[in-house]
Amino acid sequence: MLGAGLAATAFLGFSALPVHASSHREAPFITRQPKVDGTDFYMFRSYEAERSGYTTLIANYIPLQDAYGGPNYFSMDPDALYEIHIDNNGDAREDITFQFRFNNENKDTKLTVGGKQVSIPLIINGASDINAPNATGLNVRETYTVNIVRGDRRTGTRQAITNASGGATFDKPVDNIGNKSIADYASYAAKHLYTINVPGCETQGRMFVGQRKDPFVVNLGETFDLINYKAPATAFDPNAERSATDTLADKNVTTLALEIPTSCLTSGSEPVIGGWTTASLRQGRLLNPTPASANASKEGGAWTQVSRLGMPLVNELVIGLKDKDQFNHSKPNGDTQFLDYVTNPTLPALVETLFSSAGVTAPTNFPRNDLVTVFLTGVQGLNKPANGTPSEMLRLNTSLPPTSGAQNRLGVIGGDNAGFPNGRRPGDDVVDIALRVVMGKLCRLNLGCTPNDAPSGDIEFTDGAFLDSSFFDARFPYLKAPLPGSVKH
């Protein structure tokens, strides 16, 4: 376990303040494309019993889903390319990419009405219970394929991931419409958890793609209402950590989850891997003025990246408004263009302005090179690769053992080196961690700055929305079943 000082260092700089909705609707353009909006990315050593030799990757998309959001609910975009990237040699370029493509088949169920066959308006038809993949009660079947690409994401070697029987097409469960349509959603969704063959890996992995309860916990409305919290107190109040409502408590997301043998992700003797997610659309879109079913537009041209997510909260609370779309289109090897947002962050100054009457003062050490170290390189002795190009991504030291029942929600600064920012688990409270560090926790420990640089560094900031590992399942895919659109039986 790292010493207290280094443990705290590990946390630095991935956000810049009161935080929130890790990456929900974080940039102007992505608000117009919710189906490709990446909301959260998790990467951690699997802590399910007997699975410590695996690494779990979870990419969530489509934010703020209301469970009752019919009649079409929240299918993935068949014209998009969803990707999870792994850099296993520190050069800020993808070495392994998992590519997901989706397809929606309209079965066009018809009813005889007045002697005529008429297409029904819903994605379910009521013909039978929905309790298995491609159930007869579904009017729309959503499927997907997954490729693994080694090397450059566009020009590297591409191979299909298959199920245990060798098939390359997988069924995605329909969203949790309600208890009348799907009596036991957890059992139904579990039938879409696949054992997979990953080319180049001697051991099989697992995969699940489907709707889940949004795992991110945050006091969202008050955060963006000029941090409308109760002023932080210099004396810690244990009740403060549970004083606010989780704004996302009634929201779902769509999850792409992979559990891959760790040996298939690392390279040589280097145990540290970096990861991030993206989504891309075709450059061109031609709208059809007289669309037939599923032909409302025609897509063409090269893939263009429109969403990017590695560390939580970066684009939301670090990158300036004018550059948020640029960040979503960028790659890690070009991240020096955003350096000023880390060395001279604006959000701590905003916190000081809003809470100056309570004596809150932002750190004064500029440039914030301490943040640069963690933000772009990883922390020496924790998750910094032996050779690395400065870049923003989630980094995981796969040689450190996972922590299961004894997880600390504050991750590394709470003494748990298997947690954030050494990767990220669903139970890591990145909001409270970021709040405490950005306002000078490390300076109070003489890590890259001095106590005098951070008069407010000892305040245990919190947004009041509590989160820990008890909020999640202890088995893959770890995230809870989605909330139902209707709870009536």
Side-chain angles (χ1 to χ4, degrees):
M1 180 169 294
L2 296 177
L6 185 55
T9 303
F11 184 134
L12 222 158
F14 307 102
S15 122
L17 223 250
V19 88
H20 324 107
S22 177
S23 191
H24 300 53
R25 293 174 55 82
E26 82 289 346
F29 180 77
I30 206 64
T31 63
R32 298 155 55 189
Q33 304 287 340
K35 285 183 178 288
V36 289
D37 186 354
T39 66
D40 283 285
F41 177 51
Y42 302 89
M43 181 170 66
F44 55 94
R45 287 277 301 275
S46 297
Y47 51 86
E48 180 181 341
E50 311 300 327
R51 304 295 290 186
S52 62
Y54 294 80
T55 294
T56 295
L57 310 170
I58 299 175
N60 290 337
Y61 289 88
I62 313 181
L64 306 176
Q65 296 179 20
D66 291 316
Y68 51 81
N72 291 296
Y73 297 93
F74 303 97
S75 63
M76 300 292 273
D77 188 347
D79 293 318
L81 178 64
Y82 301 87
E83 297 175 296
I84 300 174
H85 308 281
I86 299 295
D87 170 18
N88 58 22
N89 60 13
D91 66 354
R93 301 177 187 273
E94 66 273 8
D95 298 296
I96 300 172
T97 296
F98 298 95
Q99 296 181 335
F100 295 76
R101 294 295 309 273
F102 291 85
N103 182 65
N104 295 324
E105 175 193 352
N106 181 358
K107 297 180 181 180
D108 195 21
T109 302
K110 295 180 172 65
L111 295 179
T112 302
V113 181
K116 293 185 177 182
Q117 289 283 295
V118 183
S119 299
I120 68 170
L122 304 177
I123 66 172
I124 55 176
N125 59 43
S128 65
D129 291 337
I130 299 173
N131 56 20
N134 193 26
T136 56
L138 289 173
N139 190 32
V140 174
R141 181 188 187 188
E142 187 173 9
T143 60
Y144 62 99
T145 57
V146 187
N147 287 324
I148 182 171
V149 181
R150 288 185 166 84
D152 183 271
R153 67 181 79 173
R154 301 292 175 257
T155 62
T157 301
R158 180 176 286 99
Q159 296 172 285
I161 289 177
T162 60
N163 61 30
S165 302
T169 298
F170 302 86
D171 274 277
K172 174 180 172 289
V174 70
D175 292 344
N176 196 356
I177 295 169
N179 294 344
K180 184 177 181 180
S181 299
I182 311 172
D184 184 351
Y185 191 87
S187 175
Y188 163 69
K191 296 175 182 177
H192 297 80
L193 196 161
Y194 297 97
T195 297
I196 55 174
N197 302 306
V198 182
C201 300
E202 295 182 359
T203 306
Q204 292 177 314
R206 293 191 293 186
M207 179 169 64
F208 173 83
V209 173
Q211 192 180 48
R212 297 280 92 183
K213 167 69 182 69
D214 193 331
F216 195 69
V217 170
V218 62
N219 182 6
L220 186 60
E222 284 71 20
T223 293
F224 290 122
D225 184 20
L226 294 178
I227 316 172
N228 190 10
Y229 305 158
K230 179 181 178 181
T234 54
F236 179 60
D237 176 5
N239 296 320
E241 293 178 338
R242 302 174 184 265
S243 62
T245 300
D246 169 23
T247 312
L248 305 182
D250 62 349
K251 304 299 182 184
N252 294 326
V253 291
T254 300
T255 291
L256 315 182
L258 291 166
E259 188 184 56
I260 304 295
T262 300
S263 60
C264 288
L265 298 176
T266 56
S267 176
S269 61
E270 175 57 71
V272 176
I273 59 174
W276 69 101
T277 70
T278 63
S280 299
L281 298 171
R282 295 294 188 181
Q283 283 185 339
R285 171 173 293 177
L286 181 65
L287 299 181
N288 188 347
T290 56
S293 177
N295 291 308
S297 65
K298 180 68 174 178
E299 321 292 322
W303 288 115
T304 301
Q305 181 182 303
V306 296
S307 177
R308 171 187 169 187
L309 177 60
M311 285 285 176
L313 311 167
V314 169
N315 207 8
E316 278 201 331
L317 294 172
V318 178
I319 305 299
L321 183 61
K322 73 181 183 68
D323 285 329
K324 288 181 181 292
D325 288 333
Q326 175 66 13
F327 181 84
N328 270 344
H329 283 72
S330 67
K331 296 182 179 180
N333 63 350
D335 281 345
T336 54
Q337 66 184 302
F338 306 114
L339 184 60
D340 286 350
Y341 292 122
V342 182
T343 59
N344 298 73
T346 59
L347 285 175
L350 177 60
V351 173
E352 176 183 275
T353 298
L354 295 173
F355 293 113
S356 59
S357 62
V360 173
T361 303
T364 57
N365 53 307
F366 301 109
R368 295 290 298 271
N369 289 326
D370 53 341
L371 301 183
V372 171
T373 299
V374 178
F375 184 77
L376 297 177
T377 66
V379 178
Q380 186 68 42
L382 179 71
N383 62 349
K384 182 179 181 179
N387 299 294
T389 299
S391 54
E392 188 279 310
M393 63 181 70
L394 198 61
R395 290 179 173 85
L396 174 67
N397 186 341
T398 62
S399 69
L400 296 179
T403 304
S404 54
Q407 289 184 15
N408 189 299
R409 71 183 189 89
L410 297 178
V412 173
I413 65 168
D416 185 355
N417 292 335
F420 183 77
N422 181 34
R424 181 188 176 191
R425 303 167 301 195
D428 291 332
D429 194 340
V430 296
V431 172
D432 281 8
I433 298 171
L435 281 170
R436 299 177 191 190
V437 171
V438 73
M439 295 307 292
K441 178 68 173 178
L442 303 184
C443 295
R444 306 301 289 185
L445 300 172
N446 290 295
L447 296 172
C449 42
T450 69
N452 289 335
D453 292 324
S456 299
D458 287 332
I459 297 176
E460 295 182 311
F461 291 90
T462 179
D463 73 331
F466 187 79
L467 172 69
D468 67 15
S469 58
S470 68
F471 285 52
F472 303 95
D473 292 336
R475 298 175 59 85
F476 182 83
Y478 296 100
L479 308 189
K480 295 286 189 181
L483 302 171
S486 169
V487 297
K488 292 183 179 181
H489 291 276

